[in-house]
Amino acid sequence: MAVRNARTDRSAAEQAEGRATLEGHDRPNGPVAAALLAGGIGSAALGVVTTLAEASVGFRNSLNWFNPVGPLTGKALIGTIAFFLSWLILGFALRGKEVNFNRYATIALILLVIGLIGTFPLFFELFAAE
Amino acid sequence: MSVSEREWWTVLHGMIFGAVFLLAFAGGLAGLYSLRPDWVTVSGLRERLSRMKLGLWAMAVVAWLTVISGTFIVYPWYRAPDPNSPRSFLLASPERAEWHTFGMEWKEHVGWLAPIAATVVAFVVSYYGSALAHRLGERRWIALFFIVAFATAAAAGIFGAFINKIAPVR
């Protein structure tokens, strides 16, 4: 028993020492929450724009920014711009902050799922314009 | 034994960029999974992290190159408004049409989620460095993002391979 306690103490001490010497140990989680949320926003933007483009011919045509590629240009670039722009804004807003990481990550996951559903043909074709 | 310019781009997009991303996934996931303080020493973590950072950023760059080359170089040839284009060929037959209406429609959209998710993962690993080993919550969330990056790239890659088999870009 005493041997096991000594081992546990030593292991805990080694881990604590290791933790203290690791790079980035005390970095705030705000920038990470910002990156995850931005990933969710970019994905959701792509999913929503893809579904809206199916529902409205006018909107779909407005996404045709480069004729050889068609409306996919606008969809892909809106998703990409939404990702990088929201990352920039959230990155500044959450810089140096410690946040409730699970809450941000849960919202990011919900947005990611919106992106996955919105880009699935069996879903977005439900909204196809006549 | 000649390959046209269009075939070269198709190979570069799918078999080089796309395949490199999918093959590297297993290594990245194993690295994330085994990033535990009780499994590796501090110096081992540091050594592993420098490899992981490089590998994950390379994967993110390759994922962006895959979707950019696919969308802006190969896709215009696929959807060209001429009766011999792969899209026209697929839509000309009800038996083949679903390869476009489902397969290509899914592939061309969902593929763009992969570089976004891969970039987030590369950033988080670079930001925390070896301290990520002590952040179980963050590690689990980014593993989820990494799996989404792989799954979306795999869906796009599988349909790309099938569609190019049935209606090749030439």
Side-chain angles (χ1 to χ4, degrees), chain A residues 37-90:
Chain A
L37 194 54
I41 290 170
S43 304
L46 180 66
V48 169
V49 167
T50 301
T51 303
L52 288 177
E54 198 66 19
S56 160
V57 175
F59 181 63
R60 183 163 64 230
N61 291 339
S62 74
L63 296 170
N64 187 1
W65 301 349
F66 178 53
N67 211 34
V69 177
L72 181 60
T73 327
K75 296 175 199 173
L77 292 182
I78 285 175
T80 304
I81 292 166
F83 168 54
F84 284 111
L85 193 63
S86 59
W87 192 1
L88 191 72
I89 293 167
L90 288 164

Coordinates of all heavy atoms in Angstrom, one line a residue, chain A residues 37-90:
Chain A
L37 N -15.4 27.9 -33.4 CA -16.7 28.5 -33.8 C -16.6 29.0 -35.2 O -17.6 28.9 -36.0 CB -16.9 29.7 -32.8 CG -18.3 30.3 -32.8 CD1 -19.4 29.2 -32.6 CD2 -18.5 31.3 -31.7
A38 N -15.5 29.6 -35.6 CA -15.3 30.1 -37.0 C -15.5 28.9 -38.0 O -16.1 29.1 -39.1 CB -14.0 30.7 -37.2
G39 N -14.9 27.8 -37.7 CA -15.1 26.6 -38.5 C -16.6 26.2 -38.7 O -17.0 25.9 -39.8
G40 N -17.3 26.3 -37.5 CA -18.7 26.0 -37.6 C -19.5 27.0 -38.4 O -20.3 26.7 -39.2
I41 N -19.1 28.3 -38.3 CA -19.8 29.4 -39.0 C -19.5 29.2 -40.5 O -20.4 29.3 -41.3 CB -19.3 30.8 -38.5 CG1 -19.8 31.0 -37.1 CG2 -19.7 31.9 -39.5 CD1 -19.2 32.3 -36.4
G42 N -18.3 28.9 -40.9 CA -18.0 28.7 -42.3 C -18.8 27.5 -42.9 O -19.3 27.6 -44.0
S43 N -18.9 26.5 -42.1 CA -19.6 25.3 -42.6 C -21.1 25.6 -42.7 O -21.7 25.2 -43.7 CB -19.4 24.1 -41.6 OG -18.1 23.9 -41.4
A44 N -21.6 26.2 -41.7 CA -23.1 26.5 -41.7 C -23.4 27.5 -42.9 O -24.4 27.3 -43.6 CB -23.5 27.1 -40.4
A45 N -22.5 28.5 -43.1 CA -22.7 29.4 -44.2 C -22.8 28.7 -45.5 O -23.7 28.9 -46.4 CB -21.6 30.5 -44.2
L46 N -21.9 27.7 -45.7 CA -21.9 26.9 -47.0 C -23.2 26.1 -47.1 O -23.8 26.1 -48.2 CB -20.7 26.0 -47.0 CG -20.5 25.1 -48.2 CD1 -20.3 25.9 -49.5 CD2 -19.4 24.1 -48.0
G47 N -23.6 25.5 -46.0 CA -24.8 24.7 -46.0 C -26.1 25.6 -46.3 O -26.9 25.2 -47.1
V48 N -26.1 26.7 -45.6 CA -27.3 27.6 -45.8 C -27.4 28.1 -47.2 O -28.4 28.1 -47.8 CB -27.3 28.7 -44.7 CG1 -28.3 29.8 -45.0 CG2 -27.5 28.1 -43.3
V49 N -26.2 28.6 -47.7 CA -26.2 29.2 -49.0 C -26.5 28.1 -50.1 O -27.3 28.4 -51.0 CB -24.8 29.8 -49.3 CG1 -24.6 30.1 -50.8 CG2 -24.6 31.1 -48.5
T50 N -26.1 26.9 -49.9 CA -26.4 25.8 -50.8 C -27.9 25.5 -50.9 O -28.4 25.4 -51.9 CB -25.6 24.5 -50.4 OG1 -24.2 24.8 -50.4 CG2 -25.8 23.4 -51.4
T51 N -28.5 25.5 -49.7 CA -29.9 25.2 -49.7 C -30.7 26.4 -50.2 O -31.7 26.2 -51.0 CB -30.3 24.9 -48.2 OG1 -29.6 23.8 -47.7 CG2 -31.8 24.6 -48.1
L52 N -30.3 27.6 -49.9 CA -31.0 28.8 -50.4 C -30.9 28.9 -51.9 O -31.8 29.3 -52.6 CB -30.5 30.1 -49.8 CG -30.8 30.4 -48.3 CD1 -30.1 31.6 -47.8 CD2 -32.3 30.5 -48.2
A53 N -29.7 28.5 -52.5 CA -29.5 28.5 -53.9 C -30.4 27.5 -54.6 O -30.8 27.8 -55.8 CB -28.0 28.2 -54.2
E54 N -30.8 26.5 -53.9 CA -31.7 25.5 -54.5 C -33.1 26.0 -54.5 O -33.9 25.7 -55.4 CB -31.6 24.2 -53.7 CG -32.1 23.0 -54.4 CD -31.3 22.6 -55.6 OE1 -30.2 23.0 -55.8 OE2 -31.9 21.8 -56.5
A55 N -33.4 26.8 -53.4 CA -34.8 27.3 -53.3 C -35.1 28.5 -54.2 O -36.3 28.7 -54.5 CB -35.0 27.7 -51.8
S56 N -34.1 29.2 -54.5 CA -34.4 30.5 -55.3 C -33.5 30.5 -56.5 O -32.2 30.6 -56.4 CB -34.2 31.7 -54.4 OG -34.0 32.8 -55.2
V57 N -34.1 30.5 -57.7 CA -33.3 30.6 -58.9 C -32.5 31.9 -59.0 O -31.4 32.0 -59.4 CB -34.2 30.4 -60.2 CG1 -33.4 30.6 -61.5 CG2 -34.9 29.1 -60.1
G58 N -33.2 33.0 -58.6 CA -32.6 34.3 -58.6 C -31.3 34.4 -57.7 O -30.3 34.9 -58.1
F59 N -31.4 33.8 -56.5 CA -30.3 33.8 -55.6 C -29.2 32.9 -56.2 O -28.0 33.2 -56.1 CB -30.7 33.2 -54.2 CG -29.6 33.2 -53.2 CD1 -29.0 34.4 -52.8 CD2 -29.2 32.0 -52.7 CE1 -28.0 34.4 -51.9 CE2 -28.1 32.0 -51.8 CZ -27.5 33.2 -51.4
R60 N -29.6 31.7 -56.8 CA -28.6 30.8 -57.4 C -27.8 31.6 -58.5 O -26.6 31.5 -58.6 CB -29.3 29.6 -57.9 CG -28.2 28.6 -58.5 CD -28.8 27.2 -58.7 NE -29.9 27.2 -59.6 CZ -31.1 26.6 -59.4 NH1 -31.4 26.1 -58.2 NH2 -32.0 26.6 -60.3
N61 N -28.5 32.3 -59.3 CA -27.9 33.0 -60.4 C -26.9 34.1 -59.9 O -25.9 34.4 -60.5 CB -28.9 33.6 -61.4 CG -29.6 32.6 -62.1 OD1 -29.2 31.4 -62.3 ND2 -30.8 32.9 -62.6
S62 N -27.3 34.7 -58.7 CA -26.5 35.7 -58.2 C -25.2 35.2 -57.6 O -24.2 35.9 -57.4 CB -27.2 36.5 -57.1 OG -27.3 35.7 -55.9
L63 N -25.1 33.9 -57.4 CA -23.8 33.3 -56.9 C -22.9 32.9 -58.1 O -21.8 32.4 -57.8 CB -24.2 32.0 -56.1 CG -25.0 32.2 -54.8 CD1 -25.4 30.9 -54.3 CD2 -24.1 33.0 -53.8
N64 N -23.3 33.1 -59.3 CA -22.5 32.8 -60.4 C -21.4 33.8 -60.7 O -21.6 34.7 -61.6 CB -23.4 32.6 -61.7 CG -22.6 32.0 -62.8 OD1 -21.4 31.8 -62.8 ND2 -23.3 31.9 -64.0
W65 N -20.4 33.8 -59.9 CA -19.3 34.8 -59.9 C -18.3 34.5 -61.0 O -17.5 35.4 -61.3 CB -18.7 35.0 -58.6 CG -19.6 35.4 -57.5 CD1 -20.9 35.8 -57.6 CD2 -19.3 35.4 -56.1 NE1 -21.5 36.0 -56.3 CE2 -20.5 35.8 -55.4 CE3 -18.2 35.1 -55.3 CZ2 -20.6 35.9 -54.0 CZ3 -18.3 35.2 -53.9 CH2 -19.5 35.6 -53.3
F66 N -18.3 33.3 -61.5 CA -17.3 32.9 -62.5 C -17.9 31.9 -63.3 O -18.2 30.7 -62.9 CB -16.0 32.3 -61.7 CG -14.9 31.8 -62.6 CD1 -14.4 32.6 -63.6 CD2 -14.4 30.5 -62.4 CE1 -13.4 32.1 -64.4 CE2 -13.4 30.1 -63.3 CZ -12.9 30.9 -64.2
N67 N -18.3 32.3 -64.5 CA -19.2 31.5 -65.4 C -18.8 30.0 -65.6 O -19.6 29.1 -65.5 CB -19.4 32.2 -66.7 CG -20.7 31.9 -67.3 OD1 -21.7 31.7 -66.5 ND2 -20.8 31.7 -68.6
P68 N -17.5 29.7 -65.8 CA -17.1 28.3 -66.0 C -17.5 27.4 -64.8 O -17.7 26.2 -65.0 CB -15.6 28.3 -66.3 CG -15.3 29.7 -66.8 CD -16.3 30.6 -66.1
V69 N -17.5 27.9 -63.6 CA -17.8 27.2 -62.4 C -19.2 27.3 -62.0 O -19.8 26.4 -61.4 CB -16.8 27.6 -61.3 CG1 -17.2 26.8 -60.0 CG2 -15.4 27.4 -61.6
G70 N -19.9 28.4 -62.4 CA -21.3 28.6 -62.1 C -21.5 29.0 -60.6 O -20.6 29.5 -60.0
P71 N -22.7 28.7 -60.1 CA -23.1 29.1 -58.7 C -22.2 28.5 -57.6 O -22.1 29.1 -56.5 CB -24.5 28.7 -58.5 CG -25.0 28.4 -59.9 CD -23.8 28.0 -60.7
L72 N -21.5 27.5 -57.9 CA -20.6 26.9 -56.9 C -19.5 27.9 -56.5 O -19.0 27.8 -55.3 CB -19.9 25.6 -57.5 CG -19.0 24.8 -56.5 CD1 -19.7 24.4 -55.2 CD2 -18.4 23.6 -57.2
T73 N -19.2 28.8 -57.4 CA -18.1 29.8 -57.0 C -18.6 30.6 -55.8 O -17.9 30.7 -54.8 CB -18.0 30.8 -58.2 OG1 -18.2 30.2 -59.4 CG2 -16.6 31.5 -58.1
G74 N -19.8 31.1 -55.9 CA -20.3 32.0 -54.8 C -20.5 31.2 -53.5 O -20.2 31.6 -52.4
K75 N -21.0 29.9 -53.7 CA -21.3 29.1 -52.5 C -19.9 28.8 -51.8 O -19.8 29.0 -50.5 CB -21.9 27.8 -52.9 CG -23.3 27.9 -53.5 CD -23.7 26.5 -53.9 CE -24.8 26.5 -54.9 NZ -25.1 25.2 -55.5
A76 N -18.9 28.4 -52.5 CA -17.7 28.0 -51.9 C -16.9 29.2 -51.3 O -16.4 29.1 -50.2 CB -16.8 27.3 -53.0
L77 N -17.0 30.3 -52.1 CA -16.3 31.5 -51.6 C -17.0 32.1 -50.4 O -16.3 32.7 -49.5 CB -16.1 32.5 -52.7 CG -15.1 32.0 -53.8 CD1 -14.9 33.1 -54.9 CD2 -13.7 31.6 -53.2
I78 N -18.3 32.1 -50.4 CA -19.0 32.6 -49.2 C -18.7 31.8 -48.0 O -18.4 32.4 -46.9 CB -20.6 32.7 -49.4 CG1 -20.9 33.8 -50.4 CG2 -21.4 32.8 -48.1 CD1 -22.4 33.9 -50.8
G79 N -18.7 30.5 -48.1 CA -18.3 29.6 -47.0 C -16.9 29.9 -46.5 O -16.6 30.0 -45.3
T80 N -16.0 30.1 -47.4 CA -14.6 30.3 -47.1 C -14.4 31.7 -46.5 O -13.7 31.8 -45.4 CB -13.7 30.2 -48.4 OG1 -13.9 28.9 -49.0 CG2 -12.2 30.3 -48.1
I81 N -15.0 32.7 -47.0 CA -14.9 34.0 -46.5 C -15.5 34.1 -45.1 O -15.0 34.7 -44.2 CB -15.5 35.1 -47.5 CG1 -14.7 35.2 -48.7 CG2 -15.7 36.4 -46.8 CD1 -15.4 35.9 -49.9
A82 N -16.7 33.4 -44.9 CA -17.3 33.4 -43.6 C -16.4 32.8 -42.6 O -16.3 33.3 -41.4 CB -18.7 32.6 -43.7
F83 N -15.7 31.7 -43.0 CA -14.8 31.1 -42.1 C -13.7 32.0 -41.6 O -13.4 32.3 -40.4 CB -14.2 29.8 -42.7 CG -13.1 29.2 -42.0 CD1 -13.1 28.8 -40.7 CD2 -11.9 28.9 -42.7 CE1 -12.0 28.2 -40.0 CE2 -10.8 28.3 -42.1 CZ -10.9 28.0 -40.7
F84 N -12.9 32.5 -42.6 CA -11.8 33.4 -42.3 C -12.1 34.7 -41.6 O -11.5 35.1 -40.7 CB -10.9 33.6 -43.5 CG -10.1 32.4 -43.9 CD1 -10.4 31.7 -45.1 CD2 -9.1 31.9 -43.1 CE1 -9.6 30.5 -45.4 CE2 -8.3 30.8 -43.4 CZ -8.6 30.1 -44.6
L85 N -13.2 35.3 -42.1 CA -13.6 36.6 -41.5 C -14.1 36.4 -40.1 O -13.7 37.2 -39.2 CB -14.7 37.2 -42.4 CG -15.1 38.7 -42.1 CD1 -13.9 39.6 -42.4 CD2 -16.3 39.1 -43.0
S86 N -14.9 35.4 -39.8 CA -15.4 35.2 -38.5 C -14.3 34.8 -37.6 O -14.2 35.1 -36.4 CB -16.5 34.1 -38.4 OG -16.1 32.9 -38.9
W87 N -13.3 34.1 -38.1 CA -12.1 33.7 -37.3 C -11.3 34.9 -36.9 O -10.9 35.1 -35.7 CB -11.2 32.7 -38.1 CG -10.2 32.0 -37.3 CD1 -9.9 32.2 -36.0 CD2 -9.2 31.1 -37.8 NE1 -8.9 31.4 -35.6 CE2 -8.4 30.7 -36.8 CE3 -8.9 30.6 -39.1 CZ2 -7.3 29.8 -36.9 CZ3 -7.9 29.7 -39.3 CH2 -7.1 29.3 -38.2
L88 N -11.2 35.8 -37.8 CA -10.5 37.1 -37.6 C -11.2 37.9 -36.5 O -10.6 38.3 -35.5 CB -10.4 37.9 -38.9 CG -9.5 39.1 -38.9 CD1 -8.0 38.7 -38.9 CD2 -9.8 40.0 -40.1
I89 N -12.5 38.0 -36.6 CA -13.3 38.8 -35.7 C -13.3 38.2 -34.3 O -13.1 38.8 -33.3 CB -14.7 39.1 -36.2 CG1 -14.7 39.9 -37.5 CG2 -15.6 39.7 -35.2 CD1 -16.0 40.0 -38.3
L90 N -13.7 36.9 -34.3 CA -13.7 36.2 -33.0 C -12.3 36.0 -32.4 O -12.2 36.1 -31.1 CB -14.3 34.7 -33.2 CG -15.8 34.7 -33.5 CD1 -16.2 33.3 -34.1 CD2 -16.6 35.0 -32.3

